[in-house]
Amino acid sequence: MTDQDTAQGETVLRLSGITKRFGALTANDAISFSLAKGDVVALLGENGAGKTTLMNILFGHYTADEGMVEVFGQALPPGQPGAALAAGVGMVHQHFTLADNMTVLENVLLGTGSLWSPGLGKPAARRKLQALAQDFGLLVDPDARVAELSVGERQRVEILKALYRDARILILDEPTAVLTPQEADALFLTLRKMVEQGLSVIFISHKLHEVMAISSRVLVLRHGKLVGETATKATDRHQLATLMVGAEIEAPAPAEARPGAVLMRLDGVSTAPQGNRPGLKAVDLELKAGQILGLAGVSGNGQGALADLISGLEAPASGRLEIAGHPVTGWSPRSALLSGIGRIPEDRHRTGTVADFSLTENAVLESYRDAPIARAGWMDWAAARRATEAIITKYDVRCPGPEARIRLLSGGNMQKLILGRVLEAAPRIILANQPVRGLDIGAVTYVQEQLIAARDAGAAVLLISEDLDEILTLSDVIRVISGGRLSPEFARGEKTPAELGQWMAGQGFDHAA
Amino acid sequence: MMRLDPIAAPSPARTLGLPALAILATIALAAGLAAIAGANPLETFGLIVKGAVGSRFATLETLNRATPLIFTGLAVAVAFRARLWNIGAEAQLYAGALMTVVIGTQLGLPGPLAIPLMALGAIVAGALVLLGPVLLKTRLGVDEVVTTLLLNFIMALFISYLLEGPLKDPMGMGWPKSPALPRDARLPRIVEGLRLHWGFALALICAAGVWVMQTRTTLGYEIRAVGQNPQAARFAGIPVGRVLVKTALISGGLAALAGFSEVAGLKGNLTSDLSPDFGYTGIIVAMLALLHPLGVVVSALFVAGIFVGADSMSRAAEVPTYIADILLAAALLFMVLAILLTRYRVVRG
């Protein structure tokens, strides 16, 4: 390889004065940094800080207004997505780009050669792939179909894809978001091996403990500016968090819960699987007043089915669903609402809001046919606007006004409106499905405090999250979902994260029950 | 490579300038074609405008021609708002016309009773014609574009059969047409002596009614929510299937009123050429109006004016009347493009 003779510590990637404006917004403001051989640089920043824009410029998806990118001393031509790849930069996206119906080997080869020579060069490719897998601890069967692989294995295929193309610089975008703690540890081991082999890594994350564990240097972005650049050894989590948000923040520390009556009970409930999504398997669950039950689990293990069930989108195929002691009949989203269930959906853009509706129209989505918003089929838009203005004030929704289209709002403000819509209906049961995913730290804290306040006011809260830290911070009791089954209930602090990780990986279910 | 990047908040220059540009582009294209046909473009446009609104007769002719287009345009606009792709306004129009003739000629009712009953019957018939495709869509997921489109042909053949058979006018000298409505079962003129019937007024009332329905009622709100984001609508407890069925009943009923108004207000009987594609042109009318019910009135008048004006122009100048079709097709395509470009920007790379 050409860079074998380069000295350790030589600069492999240099960004100089990258500036990118979208209208009035400066997404990247004169950002300069360089990456040395064997470096693991963590790129830290809240949502909207400009991390993704910067990577898109590096990859030629966007053209920078000012500044340039150099890889191994050569300037990259702007606006050409192939150039970065050819220069040896590989990227593993948060959402994988694999063909499910093809094998691992085929996925890796896809796009590397002519489509008209099937089989040609496959033995050599297989050898190269196996050597890479061995070297970096990325064990995966080259002949397995991607559809059969776990999320962690798919990520390994994505990394192998980049390495197969001789990437010397690897960019990982929020790589641990979909992994169990054990899988994340395995990933970190792989990254260390890469560094030993002289590769360089850019690691995009907002999880501080990972940044501390894996990186050698940290870059902090805020509002498009590089506000901090430091050796990881010379800093700590608190300092990084402060840099990231530009202010001191405190994680909410909920007081002791005082659980009351059981408000919702699932008794041996099963639901049918839908495509790749597993259904629930004989799930028993009790949600108590004044308690937050945290449901941990790796994405795609039945959280969707449980959320749909409680939201009213799906009825149990077997088993009983009781609310306040009464079995439900004719289960639908409307009856869930009328039963006093408030729902914060996982996807606030597609399920929680109508993008082209105004804030007012979105605020009354769940209450539009009842007084005072409507009478006898006629909308009272003045009343709707008043209710929306009350939510905007009370929940501090930053917006141009109640008539603005909600698509113009940031994720945090959109979520605050949804939160207001849910909480103003005074629900007795709250389903919070990934309520803070993708929000900046300020909004995260706000949403979490509101959930705790609702709990203290006597609501039963079911918190579904793939972020174990969030579950550990907020939950009074914890259960783990894996393959559509629920673990026993663990008290706060009863299990270590590693133990919960084992449950998340599906261990322990056979002895339980 | 080219991509489309969404624009979060389009500027007024974009939202107003691009549609204006679309109209200019349409005129430029038509001017070029007129020149190719050997006519003076300016003169050609002058003749079209004169033919459309240049005299009292021409203006009334345009209003008459606009009447069924307002109904079918509203039918399409209502349905498209809910993303219910009703391509079958033509079939619903004929169903309405058929019911109008059957009630008007077969029951022997006195006029004041017959006219409202004819209108009501037409609405029910049109609604029922669209009900089938919508139930197939909500229950089985059958694509309504295909079913509503194909129903147009089924309905055309069914009407032909009736006009050659059971509904054939015995006094019709062998022509395939239905018996005529009795005098007192026809829609009266708005002003005696002027050739404009109450169907036009009814169309305006319907446009206002649809506008009020869409902006002031819970049903209108539901229709918009279902159209913009069915997933969010369902999650919020809006009965998506029921809303689509209600939308279909309104849409089919409106299209059927076009048939009622043509038969009872203008023609007096049913023939298989009652509608020169009013149902399909309704799609153009609705799209040019950006699905706004009051805009439908304006765009129906515009479209009708072009047709009427082009007819008269082709008699005076040597330009074929097909230029009207080209004008409309171009206007639609440029307008759709303008709408796209107000919301997205083209990015290279």
Side-chain angles (χ1 to χ4, degrees):
Chain A
M1 277 173 208
T2 52
D3 52 323
Q4 219 129 47
D5 49 4
T6 55
Q8 179 78 23
E10 177 166 331
T11 299
V12 294
L13 172 72
R14 188 195 302 279
L15 277 70
S16 342
I18 298 286
T19 298
K20 177 71 183 174
R21 295 181 200 91
F22 296 108
L25 174 81
T26 306
N28 285 160
D29 192 354
I31 293 176
S32 302
F33 72 86
S34 57
L35 180 70
K37 191 177 171 191
D39 231 357
V40 179
V41 169
L43 193 57
L44 192 63
E46 296 188 299
N47 267 65
K51 295 172 294 186
T52 311
T53 305
L54 193 61
M55 291 306 120
N56 276 327
I57 288 169
L58 174 54
F59 265 86
H61 294 312
Y62 293 155
T63 310
D65 296 325
E66 287 158 33
M68 64 187 255
V69 181
E70 286 168 88
V71 181
F72 298 113
Q74 301 279 313
L76 278 190
Q80 290 182 19
L85 280 173
V89 187
M91 177 142 187
V92 176
H93 290 275
Q94 208 173 343
H95 304 286
F96 302 148
T97 51
L98 298 171
D100 278 357
N101 55 344
M102 295 171 81
T103 67
V104 169
L105 185 61
E106 287 166 342
N107 264 286
V108 168
L109 289 180
L110 207 59
T112 59
S114 166
L115 283 172
W116 303 111
S117 52
L120 272 185
K122 259 197 176 178
R126 180 188 300 271
R127 276 195 300 279
K128 181 173 176 184
L129 184 67
Q130 278 167 337
L132 286 169
Q134 201 70 50
D135 287 354
F136 294 105
L138 293 163
L139 294 181
V140 51
D141 175 7
D143 297 315
R145 274 151 45 93
V146 166
E148 294 152 11
L149 300 183
S150 74
V151 176
E153 287 171 317
R154 288 179 200 209
Q155 189 175 59
R156 278 178 231 156
V157 179
E158 284 280 1
I159 298 173
L160 280 171
K161 245 168 77 176
L163 295 175
Y164 186 87
R165 286 157 209 226
D166 300 319
R168 304 297 294 162
I169 301 166
L170 197 66
I171 300 170
L172 297 145
D173 188 5
E174 302 267 359
T176 59
V178 292
L179 304 181
T180 63
Q182 281 81 358
E183 285 173 323
D185 285 344
L187 172 69
F188 292 162
L189 215 58
T190 297
L191 294 186
R192 289 204 186 90
K193 286 186 178 153
M194 289 180 185
V195 169
E196 283 165 20
Q197 306 252 352
L199 274 74
S200 311
V201 177
I202 297 179
F203 185 91
I204 302 173
S205 182
H206 63 256
K207 293 186 186 171
L208 295 168
H209 65 94
E210 289 175 6
V211 168
M212 295 304 295
I214 190 69
S215 68
S216 51
R217 270 195 314 142
V218 188
L219 304 173
V220 184
L221 284 185
R222 189 172 75 229
H223 302 320
K225 287 198 180 73
L226 193 59
V227 294
E229 180 171 6
T230 167
T232 311
K233 282 195 218 92
T235 185
D236 58 43
R237 284 169 70 161
H238 186 73
Q239 194 189 1
L240 288 179
T242 311
L243 267 178
M244 215 158 98
V245 293
E248 295 272 335
I249 49 124
E250 275 174 46
E256 200 62 32
R258 288 186 302 276
V262 173
L263 295 184
M264 173 182 267
R265 173 179 285 125
L266 271 62
D267 195 359
V269 169
S270 298
T271 61
Q274 288 178 11
N276 280 338
R277 196 183 89 172
L280 298 176
K281 291 175 190 152
V283 162
D284 298 323
L285 176 71
E286 285 185 348
L287 299 181
K288 295 190 182 119
Q291 189 181 64
I292 297 181
L293 189 151
L295 187 71
V298 177
S299 163
N301 269 284
Q303 292 98 326
L306 183 63
D308 281 0
L309 177 77
I310 295 179
S311 304
L313 291 169
E314 205 180 334
S318 64
R320 268 158 75 94
L321 170 60
E322 285 178 10
I323 290 173
H326 301 287
V328 300
T329 47
W331 195 230
S332 72
R334 174 86 172 150
S335 53
L337 284 168
L338 294 176
S339 309
I341 301 179
R343 299 120 3 112
I344 301 173
E346 177 180 14
D347 188 338
R348 68 185 76 93
H349 297 279
R350 272 187 283 176
T351 318
T353 58
V354 178
D356 277 324
F357 268 17
S358 67
L359 271 79
T360 301
E361 287 167 320
N362 273 295
V364 300
L365 260 181
E366 294 178 342
S367 56
Y368 70 93
R369 51 181 130 180
D370 309 316
I373 307 301
R375 285 195 175 81
W378 290 87
M379 301 291 293
D380 182 347
W381 285 113
R385 205 166 302 123
R386 278 195 300 277
T388 310
E389 274 161 359
I391 290 176
I392 289 172
T393 312
K394 185 165 169 191
Y395 294 86
D396 188 29
V397 183
R398 309 275 169 83
C399 63
E403 296 312 312
R405 285 188 297 162
I406 203 160
R407 68 179 325 141
L408 301 176
L409 267 56
S410 71
N413 285 309
M414 209 183 267
Q415 193 73 328
K416 283 178 182 176
L417 185 88
I418 293 174
L419 195 68
R421 177 174 87 198
V422 167
L423 294 181
E424 288 304 293
R428 291 178 301 158
I429 301 162
I430 296 171
L431 165 70
N433 192 358
Q434 312 264 20
V436 302
R437 183 159 69 180
L439 302 188
D440 59 45
I441 290 193
V444 166
T445 310
Y446 183 82
V447 170
Q448 293 181 338
E449 281 169 355
Q450 292 291 321
L451 289 177
I452 292 167
R455 177 203 75 170
D456 291 343
V461 180
L462 173 62
L463 171 70
I464 300 179
S465 177
E466 284 151 25
D467 184 344
L468 194 51
D469 292 344
E470 185 189 358
I471 295 278
L472 292 170
T473 311
L474 289 183
S475 310
D476 303 311
V477 289
I478 296 174
R479 300 187 70 174
V480 179
I481 191 165
S482 174
R485 293 180 296 175
L486 287 194
S487 75
E489 197 167 284
F490 306 123
R492 183 187 187 81
E494 183 186 332
K495 296 278 180 200
T496 64
E499 286 169 324
L500 290 173
Q502 284 173 354
W503 280 94
M504 284 160 72
Q507 294 163 26
F509 282 89
D510 299 327
H511 332 286
Chain B
M1 217 171 68
M2 300 216 294
R3 283 182 299 123
L4 292 175
D5 270 7
I7 302 171
S11 63
R14 257 190 134 78
T15 50
L16 298 177
L18 281 169
L21 215 61
I23 292 169
L24 286 179
T26 308
I27 292 173
L29 185 85
L33 289 170
I36 290 172
N40 177 345
L42 272 181
E43 208 174 295
T44 310
F45 287 129
L47 284 170
I48 291 178
V49 173
K50 191 162 164 244
V53 292
S55 65
R56 177 190 276 183
F57 174 82
T59 309
L60 289 174
E61 188 56 30
T62 299
L63 295 183
N64 265 333
R65 184 71 82 97
T67 301
L69 293 177
I70 296 175
F71 284 119
T72 55
L74 286 174
V76 171
V78 164
F80 280 20
R81 260 287 173 241
R83 302 234 165 182
L84 177 69
W85 307 117
N86 176 15
I87 313 296
E90 192 78 5
Q92 294 137 30
L93 179 153
Y94 273 110
L98 174 63
M99 198 52 107
T100 303
V101 164
V102 169
I103 293 174
T105 59
Q106 308 294 312
L107 300 186
L109 296 166
L113 197 61
I115 289 178
L117 206 64
M118 279 152 47
L120 213 65
I123 292 173
V124 170
L128 286 178
V129 168
L130 191 50
L131 185 64
V134 166
L135 288 179
L136 282 173
K137 175 192 169 79
T138 55
R139 301 281 164 86
L140 300 175
V142 178
D143 187 347
E144 77 277 17
V145 171
V146 177
T147 47
T148 54
L149 178 68
L150 292 183
L151 267 179
N152 290 338
F153 301 104
I154 294 174
M155 183 58 76
L157 292 171
F158 182 57
I159 295 286
S160 284
Y161 154 74
L162 289 178
L163 293 182
E164 293 288 357
L167 260 190
K168 189 167 186 172
D169 182 2
M171 316 303 253
M173 325 276 280
W175 290 101
K177 60 175 192 172
S178 77
L181 294 176
R183 273 271 142 233
D184 67 343
R186 307 247 179 123
L187 286 176
R189 304 260 162 104
I190 295 176
V191 177
E192 206 45 57
L194 292 184
R195 196 169 165 271
L196 183 67
H197 57 86
W198 276 97
F200 180 71
L202 183 62
L204 295 184
I205 293 167
C206 283
V210 168
W211 183 63
V212 168
M213 184 275 289
Q214 283 185 340
T215 55
R216 295 271 176 270
T217 68
T218 52
L219 177 61
Y221 174 77
E222 289 174 324
I223 289 175
R224 287 185 295 129
V226 167
Q228 303 240 357
N229 186 341
Q231 187 180 336
R234 178 158 174 259
F235 180 81
I238 295 174
V240 173
R242 244 186 291 161
V243 170
L244 284 176
V245 167
K246 287 181 199 170
T247 308
L249 297 181
I250 295 173
S251 173
L254 283 166
L257 281 179
F260 159 77
S261 146
E262 283 300 282
V263 169
L266 212 56
K267 301 283 167 61
N269 62 7
L270 175 60
T271 56
S272 55
D273 61 356
L274 176 76
S275 158
D277 288 350
F278 286 136
Y280 296 104
T281 311
I283 299 172
I284 301 181
V285 168
M287 295 299 286
L288 287 178
L290 307 181
L291 306 187
H292 193 291
L294 302 184
V296 161
V297 175
V298 177
S299 82
L301 289 171
F302 170 74
V303 169
I306 286 186
F307 275 129
V308 173
D311 274 348
S312 126
M313 177 276 299
S314 74
R315 285 193 292 272
E318 291 288 291
V319 180
T321 167
Y322 292 119
I323 200 162
D325 296 301
I326 295 177
L327 266 172
L328 287 184
L332 180 66
L333 288 176
F334 285 128
M335 195 57 90
V336 168
L337 193 64
I339 296 165
L340 179 79
L341 291 179
T342 40
R343 307 193 61 181
Y344 295 91
R345 106 172 21 93
V346 179
V347 184
R348 287 165 61 92

